[in-house]
Each structure stands twice: as structure tokens, then as C-alpha cells.
Amino acid sequence: MAIAKAERLMNLALCLLGTRRPLSKRELRESIEAYLEAGTDDSFNRMFERDKDDLRELGLVIETVENLDGDVGYLARRDSNRLPAITLDAEEAAALGLAAKVWQQARLAGAASGALQKLRAAGMPEAEDPYEGHQSALEPRIPVHETAFEPLMLACRDRRPVVFDYRKANSARAETRQVEPWTLECWRGHWYLAGWDRERGAERVFRLSRITGKVRSRAGSFTAEVPDVVTVRETVESWAGETATRSALIKLRQGSGYPLRARATAVRDLGDGWDELAIPYGHGLDAWLVELGPEVVVLEPADLRADVVDRLRAVAKD
């Protein structure tokens, strides 16, 4: 239905833009196949009025003209619907060029490259590349290896619910999750999806590398309100363990756990190949520690230690 409506709106817009004189409702109905299929005049009139309002909401300027005989016609003059010239200064052009270089995923890279070519053809200034001559040593990238990234990105854009199988850090088996996707965020080299988990009735964050199988789209609209971007980003940051609200004391085997070592506020050599680290942490540290297995021991706090033990037991049980 959405595709049929989009095609109908496009055909109506083309008719109104392609005419040199106002077209009556009768002429438009005879020119557009979808209108010919309308069962009654009332059905056509309602459809036409909705389509006309939708095109105006999209920014198309539609004029209503009445001739000497009192007949009403419609047209969209090209001069009234022509976009202004694109003007970018050198700094704006540099920002767009840098953004286009960030993506490594093939489809996104192609789209970004094509968009830049069109902007340059329209007169966008060539920006100096601050990385020219040093690209092998320093070049901005956002790696995207997860196959779930593209379908989730499109689902976020189209506000479309999805279903996928997800394996939690403390489980060897995947569970089916029904999610209303909000946005994708990249933290410390990992991609996360923030959205509304329908079964749990709460917002959740999912690490894309733990999604197994295909992401399936579902019909229907969102049931929960989508928060503003700032709130979503804060949620992703918190669930990814980036927001530190407490401090933990752990024992870590030397030569392992480098991401944790980078966050440590204090390190003490315990001997026998072990170090003691003070780690500021928030949500998600227990999952990190479980992945290190026998290389780490939680000394305090007691609730973090209990969470890690519960996760390890769940993995052993599965």
C-alpha cells in the first residue's frame, strides 16, 4: 500500500509539474491510472484531496486556478518549485568530504561518493584534504562488519519494527527479540542498537555482534514513543558501560584485559603474574568480565562479583 501511494503521489506531482496550463480534476483522473481505478467520484475526490495535501506538506507549491467559466484547475509552476542553488564554503565542503571517507561499508561508501560527485558538479568547492599524503598512517574509518547493520539502519530510518535472534553475554543460546529500533550508535569499535523491546516493555540496547541470523521486518507502527536523540545516545553510552557511576576492584592476570587496563585509575602489582586494578564502571562491566573468563577475579563490590558469578553459572548450565 505504501508503494502504491508513493507511486500515485509521484505521478500526480509529475503531471502538475509537466503542464503549462492548469489541469482539471477530470483531466488528472484520466491521466493517472490509480485514479481511474477509483470506484466512485466521491472516492476519487477524497483520494485526490489527500494526495494534494500530502504533496503540499512535502513542500510542493500547488496553485489553484479558476478560469472564466468557473472551472478549477491545478498546476505546480517549475519556477515556484525550483530549489535554490547549493552554496557551501570550504569548511563545509571539508566536513562533507571527511564524512564520506568515514564509511567503509560498500553500499554506504558508494552512496556517499555519488552524493559528493553531484555536489561538486553543482559547484561545491574542492576542499583541501588534511590527510593527503598521510592516508596510510591516519585515515578516519567506521568499520561495519555485522550483517545486521544495514537492515537495522533502514528499519531505524523507516520506523519499522524488527525481529531478530539475540545471544546475551551470559547465555550460549539466542532468544527471539521483537524490537522497535530507534538508532544505531558506535562505541569503542562496537555497534549498538537502541530501541523498545516489546516483550519486556522497556528500552533496551543490543550489541550487533550478538545478533544471530537475519533481521526480519514486521508490519505495523511503533507502539512506544521514540525519545530525542540525546536521550538515546545517553542510553547507549550507559548500557555499553561508558557511564561510570561506581568503582570496582579487580584482580587481572598480567598480559590480558587491555581495554580494562586503559580505563583503570590505579594498578598495583600483586606478584605471581597478577595485577590489582581500580576500575570506574557503569552498566555492562559484568559482561566484559565474563568474556575474560579465568583471566579476571572480582574483589569488590560484592554485587558485581555476584553478577559475574551468576553469568558464569548461566553459561556453564547452557
Side-chain angles (χ1 to χ4, degrees), residues 58-77:
L58 290 172
L60 190 68
V61 180
I62 302 175
E63 297 182 19
T64 302
V65 181
E66 185 175 344
N67 61 22
L68 297 176
D69 297 329
D71 295 329
V72 176
Y74 305 90
L75 80 160
R77 301 185 190 276

Side-chain angles (χ1 to χ4, degrees), residues 13-21 23 76 78:
L14 290 175
C15 285
L16 296 175
L17 287 167
T19 182
R20 294 185 178 181
R21 63 174 181 82
L23 297 177
R78 289 182 178 271

Side-chain angles (χ1 to χ4, degrees), residues 280-291:
Y281 76 99
H283 183 92
L285 180 61
D286 54 338
W288 278 35
L289 298 175
V290 167
E291 292 180 357

Side-chain angles (χ1 to χ4, degrees), residues 177-208:
R177 311 297 281 267
Q178 299 184 37
V179 179
E180 299 172 10
W182 293 342
T183 189
L184 292 164
E185 291 287 343
C186 185
W187 289 100
R188 294 187 179 273
H190 297 289
W191 280 97
Y192 296 86
L193 169 71
W196 182 261
D197 190 316
R198 287 183 168 178
E199 292 184 357
R200 289 155 181 80
E203 63 182 77
R204 288 290 186 269
V205 172
F206 306 91
R207 184 162 152 176
L208 265 60

